[in-house]
């Protein structure tokens, strides 16, 4: 199972960007503790050091739904701003959302077509007399690159594959960024008042963590109980 998860400050102020960075750290700690594979696909840095506007992760595991039930929704941090010490606000909210319906581009070297040619120098003069330069085309996307850095055809082929992979990955990230813009409402709909997680203080202490898991367990018990009634 794979899921794209976005942690976002929405259009919140600098304090929310700081909370986003802190939540990412806490989120990744639990991801690792639950042996969930992850990859950071995209991150948008905040307006100050150690802050984030948003980050998007790809999670991979057999079972993700139960884990994500305790994360998806609004996250609250209770504390005084370290950026605006006289600010009266003490509760800051960010959101954790699932991005759905986006197909990842799979990069497979079998999908590459190679063409060799002579390397060219400035003015169009031949650098060498053998076909050492390599053009690589990723057939599914049509993206192409050209490598003539080395006098070795094999080395140029390796460079072409590496550059093409970066280019195709960049194409995927652009699609993701467009999807993020299309779903900007997620950023605006960070729900206030019923957070799934609450942290407090500059040490970002977890509050009511056991209560959160207990709540989820009780919900699952009630669902099982309802299922038994339905069977009867």
């Amino acid at each position: 199972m794979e899921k794209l998860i976005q942690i976002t400050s929405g259009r919140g102020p600098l304090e929310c960007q700081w909370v986003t960075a802190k939540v990412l750290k806490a989120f990744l700690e639990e991801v690792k503790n639950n042996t969930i594979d992850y990859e950071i696909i995209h991150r948008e840095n905040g307006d100050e050091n150690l802050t984030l506007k948003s980050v998007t992760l790809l999670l991979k595991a057999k079972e993700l739904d139960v884990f994500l039930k305790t994360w998806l929704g609004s996250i609250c941090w209770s504390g005084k701003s370290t950026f605006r010490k006289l600010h009266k606000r003490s509760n800051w909210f960010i959101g954790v959302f699932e991005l759905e319906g986006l197909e990842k581009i799979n990069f497979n070297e079998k999908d590459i077509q190679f063409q060799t040619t002579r390397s060219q120098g400035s003015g169009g003069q031949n650098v060498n007399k053998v076909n050492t330069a390599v053009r690589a085309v990723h057939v599914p996307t049509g993206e192409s690159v050209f490598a003539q850095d080395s006098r070795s055809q094999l080395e140029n082929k390796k460079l072409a594959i590496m550059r093409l992979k970066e280019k195709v990955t960049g194409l995927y990230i652009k699609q993701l960024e467009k999807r993020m813009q299309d779903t900007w409402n997620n950023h605006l709909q960070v729900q206030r008042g019923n957070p799934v997680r609450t942290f407090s203080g500059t040490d970002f202490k977890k509050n009511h963590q056991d209560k959160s898991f207990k709540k989820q367990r009780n919900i699952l018990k009630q669902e099982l109980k309802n299922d038994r009634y339905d069977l009867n």
Side-chain angles (χ1 to χ4, degrees), residues 88-125:
K88 295 181 179 180
R89 182 175 168 184
S90 59
N91 290 326
W92 311 87
F93 293 86
I94 71 162
V96 180
F97 303 99
E98 179 182 352
L99 293 178
E100 299 179 287
L102 185 66
E103 183 178 354
K104 185 176 181 180
I105 296 175
N106 292 317
F107 185 85
N108 192 322
E109 293 185 15
K110 294 180 180 179
D111 295 327
I112 302 176
Q113 289 184 349
F114 297 98
Q115 180 183 5
T116 58
T117 183
R118 292 182 181 179
S119 297
Q120 298 293 316
S122 59
Q125 295 181 354

Side-chain angles (χ1 to χ4, degrees), residues 160-201:
I161 293 173
M162 180 182 68
R163 290 172 183 172
L164 192 58
K165 184 176 182 179
E166 291 177 354
K167 198 170 185 180
V168 172
T169 302
L171 181 65
Y172 168 62
I173 292 176
K174 287 181 181 178
Q175 289 182 353
L176 179 60
E177 288 174 343
K178 184 179 185 303
R179 175 63 187 271
M180 290 169 63
Q181 292 173 0
D182 292 342
T183 58
W184 186 249
N185 283 337
N186 279 356
H187 294 248
L188 302 179
Q189 293 172 358
V190 176
Q191 300 176 357
R192 275 35 173 200
N194 193 25
V196 294
R197 296 267 180 134
T198 301
F199 299 86
S200 65

Side-chain angles (χ1 to χ4, degrees), residues 211-222:
K211 182 178 178 181
S212 176
F213 281 111
K214 183 178 179 181
K215 180 180 178 181
Q216 293 299 324
R217 186 171 66 249
N218 288 337
I219 290 174
L220 291 175
K221 285 183 178 179
Q222 186 61 44

Side-chain angles (χ1 to χ4, degrees), residues 130-145:
V130 294
N131 294 345
T132 58
V134 175
R135 181 179 300 279
V137 179
H138 186 248
V139 176
T141 61
E143 296 293 326
S144 64
V145 297

Side-chain angles (χ1 to χ4, degrees), residues 31 48 62 83 102 111 149 191-192 198 204 206 220 232:
V31 162
E48 294 285 348
K62 290 183 178 180
F83 302 100
L102 185 66
D111 295 327
D149 304 54
Q191 300 176 357
R192 275 35 173 200
T198 301
F204 219 69
K206 300 176 184 178
L220 291 175
N232 293 333

